[in-house]
Amino acid sequence: MQRAFFNLLFVSLVVSLQACVAVNSAVVADTPGLKTLAAFPIGVAVNVASAGAGIQVSKERADLIGRHFNSLVAENSMKMSYLHPAENNFTFAGADALASYAHQHGMVLHGHALVWHSDYQIPVWMKNYQGDWEKMLASHVSQICAHFAGTVRSWDVVNEAIDDLHPAGYRASIFYEKIGKSYIEKAFIAAHAADANAELYYNDYNIEGSQGKLDFMLRMIDDFKSRQIPLHGIGFQMHVSSDGPGIAQIRKSFKAVADRGLKVRISELDVAMNQQRQFSTFTPAVAAQQKARYKAIITAYLEAVPPAQRGGITFWGLLDGDSWIGKRYQRPDWPLLFADDYSAKPALSGVAEALTGK
Ligand code: XIL
């Protein structure tokens, strides 16, 4: 209680100081660690190309992560093709190094993702697989879950299985084509059998913005619940922008999942600011707009999801320059909480203010 009060005091002090400076500032680096402001995991995606690389490569990076986050996720290195490059060969070294880094630093590790349609992520051997797909996929899931049992606390078991078409439906992924829609529930069953303690999530994008996609997913959840499929939570990726989706829709979508008794994670949060390509630099006005947007999103999460169902919030990268958004859309953008010189952006204060209920 007392701690919360001091945190609040500290955040207000930092926020007022921040008003005196330009856009980003070393001063804001004094914002209390986000992880001290929440009772649920606050995470960040990190790139770990190989064992020992990644967050350990720079002291500034490691320090910033240690200060603000108590949960990690591999931005890429725990995806299918990296972990399972040949039918009988798993490359766990990089992920094991990340797991022990997390453990040594008192952080939890979230696993992403056991089954994902994205073409470059499906190992070539799998694309060409001629045997029993149902068995093969279950074995892929269960071998990975068994390996990380006890070190990975929660998994994105299936990622992006629903497409955005109107009406929304199951994505015509290779898994869907080979097995049918039951590949989704079978992946959850296999994961649960391999590690009964892991929290199992279905993860997707645009479920906070498209009512049709949300409704389709809710029907899937209700069906899974009625048949006791071990699904424990939903990951809302939340690659959102300053333009949308509207905050009421976001809140309503979180609530619809929470009302079903499931956990809710914000799993890949970033807030793109330059989707119209109208900016060449990150101005104070854009920074202020981004701060307000981050604050509104976190506030909506806290309003819609009861404490026991908050699976946590993960930001999809640390520094703006890490972000996949600029690369993917070939434009300058500044979607994350920290600038490339490691200084905190106003967005960080927006998140802190939301977490402390300011
Ligand atoms: C992205 C990574 O950030 C990029 O580095 C990579 O090139 C492509 O994948 N949804 C997901 C994430 O579930 O795995 C994606 O991550 C972003 C969209």
Side-chain angles (χ1 to χ4, degrees), residues 99-138:
S100 61
Y101 185 92
H103 183 70
Q104 279 159 24
H105 293 82
M107 299 165 152
V108 295
L109 182 61
H110 176 79
H112 171 81
L114 293 166
V115 179
W116 188 28
H117 73 93
S118 189
D119 190 63
Y120 86 107
Q121 265 312 314
I122 303 173
V124 175
W125 70 266
M126 198 180 269
K127 283 184 195 160
N128 297 329
Y129 191 70
Q130 296 297 329
D132 181 334
W133 266 74
E134 220 175 279
K135 261 199 198 141
M136 177 275 287
L137 201 63

Side-chain angles (χ1 to χ4, degrees), residues 261-338:
L262 293 188
K263 285 203 156 186
V264 177
R265 291 182 82 235
I266 297 183
S267 57
E268 306 182 13
L269 183 57
D270 46 33
V271 178
M273 299 307 294
N274 204 17
Q275 54 291 352
Q276 315 299 336
R277 296 166 199 271
Q278 68 273 50
F279 305 118
S280 54
T281 54
F282 189 62
T283 63
V286 180
Q289 208 191 338
Q290 185 179 48
K291 172 184 171 178
R293 182 77 168 137
Y294 264 110
K295 185 172 177 176
I297 290 167
I298 309 295
T299 303
Y301 179 73
L302 298 175
E303 285 167 356
V305 184
Q309 286 168 261
R310 293 175 191 157
I313 300 174
T314 285
F315 299 85
W316 205 241
L318 186 68
L319 312 180
D320 278 339
D322 298 341
S323 174
W324 72 302
I325 295 287
K327 291 162 209 142
R328 162 89 199 260
Y329 299 104
Q330 295 289 301
R331 64 171 197 243
D333 213 318
W334 310 271
L336 295 170
L337 302 183
F338 299 92

Side-chain angles (χ1 to χ4, degrees), residues 177-317:
E177 268 156 18
K178 299 284 185 188
I179 302 173
K181 68 173 186 170
S182 69
Y183 84 88
I184 304 171
E185 65 201 58
K186 288 189 176 127
F188 280 92
I189 292 167
H192 188 63
D195 181 2
N197 294 320
E199 250 174 32
L200 305 180
Y201 283 83
Y202 173 74
N203 195 54
D204 213 330
Y205 62 89
N206 209 14
I207 42 179
E208 74 288 352
S210 156
Q211 186 66 43
K213 191 170 183 178
L214 175 73
D215 287 341
F216 190 87
M217 183 186 73
L218 295 174
R219 285 197 293 277
M220 181 181 84
I221 294 174
D222 292 342
D223 171 45
F224 281 10
K225 281 191 71 169
S226 74
R227 294 185 294 120
Q228 280 99 46
I229 304 297
L231 165 72
H232 307 126
I234 297 297
F236 286 76
Q237 291 185 7
M238 302 282 296
H239 296 292
V240 299
S241 74
S242 50
D243 297 343
I247 208 70
Q249 183 67 29
I250 292 176
R251 190 186 300 108
K252 179 177 158 196
S253 308
F254 291 155
K255 187 169 183 307
V257 171
D259 284 349
R260 284 163 166 80
L262 293 188
K263 285 203 156 186
V264 177
R265 291 182 82 235
I266 297 183
S267 57
E268 306 182 13
L269 183 57
D270 46 33
V271 178
M273 299 307 294
N274 204 17
Q275 54 291 352
Q276 315 299 336
R277 296 166 199 271
Q278 68 273 50
F279 305 118
S280 54
T281 54
F282 189 62
T283 63
V286 180
Q289 208 191 338
Q290 185 179 48
K291 172 184 171 178
R293 182 77 168 137
Y294 264 110
K295 185 172 177 176
I297 290 167
I298 309 295
T299 303
Y301 179 73
L302 298 175
E303 285 167 356
V305 184
Q309 286 168 261
R310 293 175 191 157
I313 300 174
T314 285
F315 299 85
W316 205 241

